[in-house]
Amino acid sequence: QVQLVESGGGWVQSGGSLRLSCAASGFTFSTYSMYWYRQAPGKERELVAAIISAGNNTNYADSVKGRFTISRDNAKNTVYLQMSSLKPEDTAVYSCRAVWVGGVRYDYWGQGTQVTVSS
């Protein structure tokens, strides 16, 4: 069965760091592009970071550039989001997403993990 399980969320003070992990199973992880999204209360869900299947092309929201790093380990079927210099406005539920497009599009989501940054 297809499964994406996020972990690593929690509470941290402003300026601190966290590393989120998303463990995948049930599909060919190495062929999927991976994404991290976040959604804060009362806000629209936004794309935070993206990485292609080969792992040599990444993209970031302007709000996190220079602070967050997305990476993947295809041998471990895991995508990571390293978050540094955290700010209260980073507080949100963070979710990972896997997308593959061939003759048909496949799109899977994890359950999300809460990140809370205090001031």
Side-chain angles (χ1 to χ4, degrees):
Q1 292 185 334
V2 171
Q3 193 170 24
L4 295 171
V5 180
E6 299 97 333
S7 62
W11 183 93
V12 65
Q13 286 189 318
S14 295
S17 299
L18 286 173
R19 188 179 76 159
L20 306 183
S21 299
C22 176
S25 60
F27 63 97
T28 307
F29 176 82
S30 61
T31 69
Y32 280 66
S33 294
M34 299 297 298
Y35 306 83
W36 284 100
Y37 289 79
R38 68 185 182 187
Q39 187 167 27
K43 301 289 187 179
E44 294 292 316
R45 184 172 60 193
E46 66 172 333
L47 176 63
V48 175
I51 186 167
I52 63 169
S53 58
N56 60 353
N57 197 158
T58 59
N59 208 347
Y60 300 91
D62 288 342
S63 60
V64 307
K65 284 181 180 177
R67 301 188 297 118
F68 290 13
T69 301
I70 188 171
S71 62
R72 66 191 296 158
D73 186 339
N74 286 342
K76 293 183 169 63
N77 287 357
T78 302
V79 62
Y80 305 94
L81 186 68
Q82 177 66 51
M83 306 184 294
S84 300
S85 301
L86 283 162
K87 306 173 181 179
E89 51 263 46
D90 296 319
T91 295
V93 174
Y94 286 72
S95 302
C96 74
R97 181 190 188 190
V99 178
W100 181 83
V101 180
V104 65
R105 190 171 190 268
Y106 292 90
D107 190 343
Y108 307 118
W109 288 82
Q111 83 289 347
T113 186
Q114 176 71 46
V115 171
T116 303
V117 184
S118 67
S119 59

